Amino acid sequence: DIQMTQSPSTLSASVGDRVTITCRASQSISSWLAWYQQKLGKAPKLLIYEASSLESGVPSRFSGSGSGTEFTLTISSLQPDDFATYYCQQYNSYPYTFGQGTKLEIK
Amino acid sequence: QVQLVQSGSELKKPGASVKVSCKASGHTFTNYALNWVRQAPGQGLEWMGWINSNTGTPIYAQGFTGRFVFSLDTSVNTAYLQISSLKPEDTAVYYCAKKAGYYWYFDLWGRGTLVTVSS
């Protein structure tokens, strides 16, 4: 199975900050990576697919990059609504696996 | 509005069974890969497998064989997850999620069903 490792596990930031979350795959997954946002008690919401493609309706302050084994999710200017947990997911090969999550907290 | 509507929370005793439903609203289960994802309390997301809406064929990820059964009733646009011989470690939120077209990421999620297993 492909292991997905996110860092950091927790990130404290302020409104207006630029933040970056990293996701590393245990083997190459090309660009077959998605990012999700999950708020407490809610279902995950798709933000990014194919490493850098923005899902329809997602604000442009979210962006993704990377290929192979290293990927990043960047939020250019944090808004109050962005404080949540973020997960990456590889869909290069079965079984489809998620990172352990990065909790974005208000500083 | 296109949604996946899941059944409500369940409280079960160890050894019992539970059946969680996931109904397609505003669309139909046509050419669908309906996935199930588990999230234990305070934990991350774990893909359990999927069911093909055209054939009804389920595929289970390792660790979800035997006690877990995926099924469909296309006449009511509803998918089901049944878990038998429940254990306390089955306590989790179970999500249904739709595969996004050709690729195996998930663009539509149900709100989740909390299954609590406790004596």
Side-chain angles (χ1 to χ4, degrees):
Chain A
D1 298 3
I2 297 176
Q3 307 302 315
M4 305 301 293
T5 304
Q6 290 181 231
S7 60
S9 296
T10 306
L11 179 57
S12 296
S14 301
V15 172
D17 284 354
R18 177 184 179 90
V19 299
T20 297
I21 298 169
T22 298
C23 177
R24 290 186 173 86
S26 60
Q27 64 190 75
S28 177
I29 59 170
S30 186
S31 295
W32 305 123
L33 184 99
W35 289 97
Y36 301 88
Q37 176 193 66
Q38 186 179 35
K39 295 182 180 178
L40 195 63
K42 304 293 187 183
K45 173 188 173 183
L46 176 67
L47 300 175
I48 302 278
Y49 61 93
E50 206 170 334
S52 60
S53 296
L54 195 67
E55 172 71 349
S56 175
V58 174
S60 59
R61 62 181 180 274
F62 291 92
S63 64
S65 66
S67 67
T69 62
E70 187 152 337
F71 302 84
T72 58
L73 172 70
T74 299
I75 309 172
S76 60
S77 178
L78 271 175
Q79 299 302 300
D81 192 49
D82 300 337
F83 292 95
T85 299
Y86 293 84
Y87 293 94
C88 61
Q89 178 230 335
Q90 68 82 17
Y91 53 100
N92 179 77
S93 62
Y94 171 98
Y96 310 112
T97 47
F98 295 85
Q100 82 279 15
T102 294
K103 185 176 182 180
L104 182 51
E105 297 181 329
I106 301 174
K107 185 184 285 185
Chain B
Q1 187 179 4
V2 173
Q3 299 180 81
L4 293 172
V5 180
Q6 294 190 230
S7 49
S9 298
E10 301 267 10
L11 174 60
K12 296 290 184 181
K13 294 189 183 303
S17 295
V18 68
K19 194 169 187 177
V20 175
S21 67
C22 170
K23 183 176 176 63
S25 174
H27 65 294
T28 60
F29 278 140
T30 304
N31 298 323
Y32 227 87
L34 192 285
N35 295 259
W36 291 95
V37 176
R38 181 170 77 176
Q39 187 169 38
Q43 302 300 308
L45 302 165
E46 188 175 16
W47 181 72
M48 301 172 64
W50 67 288
I51 187 164
N52 183 318
S53 71
N54 291 339
T55 65
T57 301
I59 300 292
Y60 302 97
Q62 196 169 8
F64 295 101
T65 56
R67 298 188 300 115
F68 299 83
V69 176
F70 307 150
S71 62
L72 275 175
D73 184 343
T74 53
S75 68
V76 291
N77 279 324
T78 302
Y80 301 95
L81 163 65
Q82 184 162 0
I83 312 171
S84 59
S85 302
L86 282 162
K87 305 174 182 181
E89 53 264 40
D90 294 323
T91 295
V93 176
Y94 292 86
Y95 294 100
C96 59
K98 171 185 161 292
K99 173 191 171 191
Y102 183 79
Y103 296 102
W104 285 95
Y105 58 92
F106 311 118
D107 62 353
L108 181 66
W109 294 67
R111 295 187 68 174
T113 297
L114 173 62
V115 175
T116 303
V117 184
S118 174
S119 53

